[in-house]
Amino acid sequence: MADNFFTVEIITPDRIFYHGQASMIEFNTVEGEIGVLKDHIPLTTVLAPGVVTITEEEGPKKAVVHTGFAEILGEKVTLLAEIAEWPDEIDVERAKRAEERAKERLSHREQGIDVARAELALKKALARQDVLV
């Protein structure tokens, strides 16, 4: 394996979702998208819902994560995610229904609606669908 690889771990409350070697990882933060290579400066950041692309020796592998934290060190990147899913674990119809419910809530903005929660639900539903494209 080339010396430009580093360890990537994606951990959720119920499992070690991914553990392996990558030459690059790309994911969304609350500040925007980030791509990480070996020997990146140390950084801790907040994850935003979105697609994670892990570039392994065999090629890219995609998953979706929903909120959490990322710790970037020179030889290791750890994502601590609320939820992480491979494309084959996603129920497409359920994600589409969740998108519609969130859009409906946001379009009518009824009294007592938690706008931040509805926006997060929409982002999660869209991320689940984006990883399937």
Side-chain angles (χ1 to χ4, degrees):
M1 188 175 298
D3 64 353
N4 64 333
F5 282 78
F6 56 95
T7 302
V8 172
E9 282 189 328
I10 302 174
I11 302 168
T12 68
D14 58 339
R15 65 181 169 162
I16 296 175
F17 177 77
Y18 177 86
H19 178 86
Q21 297 292 306
S23 61
M24 183 170 172
I25 183 170
E26 301 167 86
F27 55 91
N28 292 331
T29 74
V30 294
E31 300 290 325
E33 293 180 53
I34 186 170
V36 179
L37 301 170
K38 184 178 178 181
D39 296 327
H40 192 285
I41 62 167
L43 175 71
T44 301
T45 188
V46 178
L47 293 174
V51 175
V52 173
T53 303
I54 305 161
T55 304
E56 298 178 318
E57 193 167 27
E58 302 79 31
K61 183 180 271 190
K62 293 186 183 262
V64 65
V65 297
H66 306 287
T67 65
F69 298 94
E71 178 186 55
I72 300 167
L73 302 173
E75 298 284 330
K76 184 175 182 183
V77 174
T78 304
L79 304 185
L80 301 173
E82 172 193 347
I83 298 169
E85 300 167 300
W86 296 114
D88 63 354
E89 297 175 328
I90 295 171
D91 181 337
V92 180
E93 293 306 314
R94 182 174 176 223
K96 287 179 182 177
R97 290 191 305 271
E99 176 188 1
E100 291 306 314
R101 281 192 310 274
K103 284 181 176 178
E104 181 71 20
R105 286 187 197 113
L106 290 169
S107 69
H108 291 91
R109 302 222 180 207
E110 302 159 4
Q111 261 188 349
I113 184 175
D114 185 340
V115 174
R117 184 174 173 198
E119 288 173 342
L120 181 60
L122 179 59
K123 288 177 185 175
K124 288 179 178 182
L126 293 173
R128 282 185 169 118
Q129 294 174 66
D130 285 348
V131 79
L132 299 170
V133 178

